[in-house]
Amino acid sequence: MTDTSRFRLPLCFAMTIALTSVAAATDVSGLVDIGGGRKMYLACSGSGSPAVVLISGKGNGAADWSEILDPSDAVRDADYDALAWGKGASQKSASAVFPAVARFTRVCAYDRPGVRLDGPDQSTPVAQPHKADQAADDLHRLLTGAGERGPYVLVSHSYGGVVAALFARTWPDDVAGLVMVDAVTELIRKVASPEALAKWDEFNRTSVPAAPEAVMLADAFAKIDAKPPLRELPAVVLSADKPWQPSSIAKNTDQAAAVSFADWTASGHLLAKALNAPHVTKTRSGHNIYAYSPQIVIDAIREVVDAVRAGKTQIAR
């Protein structure tokens, strides 16, 4: 799904896993050298293992995980994802995902290049659109450079889903669990038409000055196909239940550029089945579930963290 505004649119554990080695407890916030003359912004807080890594959707960054939709905002009552249409007000909150997760384990969030245009500590720009395997490699180098030890629970939103999929397949021993938050999956090819997917890919490749980050979804899907399959991991899949747009808007104006909300919803079911994971569909939320319903995301993260600590490879569906 495409993001278009501040809140944007779509083995066995023999590792009982260094859980005795507690992650660094120092809070960090700033640029980390990842090599090649580049730096990336990283924020980490809390202590404990496994560390949780929050991977944002296209055009979003670390700050989003510390904000929620105002609980009293009337847009919550809309029958579509009003937040994605620029309605509603966000606010920093102790109830947001990042600070809440920091209260029970180590948590990190970061900015990919091109997701933040103002303020200090901006990640070094790269050419856009970028490839998802580059984004996965950047994340691996970022965590390594910062000394943030795995294994990690990867929590991915939207485009972050393909970054997480590539990370988990490339460095399987560094990943202990997954939480997929209304995430993009290569399985959408099973439900959306080739024509729709081609338009969707083209739309997401577009970089503009106000929203520089642009991504290559078709390339990401091909790269995932070329990797070994995921080993069994404790995982939870969360899906939005508010449609992307008002029912009064014609389908051909959908800003996801041809991939429909029905396609997106069906791909979430396929993802949950592929991961053998519980699928939470009653989220009372648009695409940015972490803003609408942060506690649902927090609960899913805690469930996966607890499963990892207990040495489980699966969460009962």
Side-chain angles (χ1 to χ4, degrees):
M1 190 174 177
T2 301
D3 300 311
T4 58
S5 67
R6 180 72 179 90
F7 284 99
R8 297 167 166 96
L9 283 175
L11 22 164
C12 189
F13 280 51
M15 309 199 289
T16 294
I17 39 183
L19 294 183
T20 51
S21 72
V22 178
T26 305
D27 287 3
V28 299
S29 177
L31 292 175
V32 176
D33 192 328
I34 66 167
R38 294 177 54 210
K39 296 181 179 181
M40 290 179 66
Y41 175 79
L42 179 71
C44 300
S45 186
S47 64
S49 185
V52 169
V53 179
L54 305 174
I55 307 174
S56 300
K58 175 176 172 280
N60 295 106
D64 295 83
W65 298 96
S66 292
E67 298 177 354
I68 65 171
L69 176 62
D70 186 334
S72 63
D73 200 307
V75 303
R76 289 183 173 277
D77 298 326
D79 61 359
Y80 70 101
D81 189 357
L83 194 56
W85 288 75
K87 302 180 185 299
S90 63
Q91 59 187 36
K92 290 194 70 171
S93 173
S95 299
V97 172
F98 184 92
V101 173
R103 292 193 280 272
F104 61 85
T105 197
R106 185 71 166 169
V107 60
C108 296
Y110 71 108
D111 287 349
R112 288 187 303 272
V115 303
R116 182 158 56 87
L117 301 178
D118 53 21
D121 296 338
Q122 293 181 45
S123 298
T124 306
V126 298
Q128 301 286 353
H130 69 268
K131 296 181 177 181
D133 58 336
Q134 173 190 334
D137 185 66
D138 284 353
L139 177 56
H140 189 261
R141 288 192 288 152
L142 175 64
L143 294 169
T144 301
E148 295 293 338
R149 293 187 295 180
Y152 314 109
V153 171
L154 303 182
V155 179
S156 61
H157 173 247
S158 195
Y159 166 67
V162 293
V163 178
L166 284 163
F167 191 109
R169 286 166 168 80
T170 306
W171 299 279
D173 291 343
D174 288 346
V175 179
L178 298 169
V179 179
M180 310 300 274
V181 185
D182 215 37
V184 176
T185 170
E186 74 282 5
L187 298 173
I188 198 165
R189 294 173 297 178
K190 294 181 179 291
V191 290
S193 71
E195 296 79 13
L197 290 166
K199 291 179 181 178
W200 195 44
D201 182 56
E202 180 181 4
F203 186 88
N204 279 282
R205 284 172 172 262
T206 303
S207 176
V208 297
E213 187 178 42
V215 303
M216 301 179 180
L217 293 177
D219 181 80
F221 298 160
K223 296 284 176 57
I224 291 170
D225 289 344
K227 293 287 186 181
L230 284 174
R231 62 182 176 83
E232 192 170 47
L233 295 167
V236 175
V237 175
L238 308 178
S239 291
D241 51 11
K242 288 181 181 286
W244 296 341
Q245 57 189 11
S247 57
S248 59
I249 302 293
K251 287 185 179 180
N252 62 7
T253 64
D254 189 336
Q255 59 182 352
V259 169
S260 69
F261 183 66
D263 294 335
W264 184 268
T265 300
S267 75
H269 288 292
L270 292 174
L271 178 60
K273 184 176 180 180
L275 294 174
N276 201 18
H279 188 194
V280 181
T281 57
K282 293 182 179 180
T283 54
R284 305 178 300 283
S285 174
H287 184 45
N288 293 339
I289 300 174
Y290 57 82
Y292 276 97
S293 301
Q295 193 60 49
I296 290 176
V297 180
I298 294 160
D299 289 346
I301 294 171
R302 185 186 286 276
E303 187 171 19
V304 173
V305 166
D306 287 348
V308 173
R309 289 173 174 171
K312 297 178 180 178
T313 59
Q314 184 183 334
I315 293 174
R317 298 171 68 180

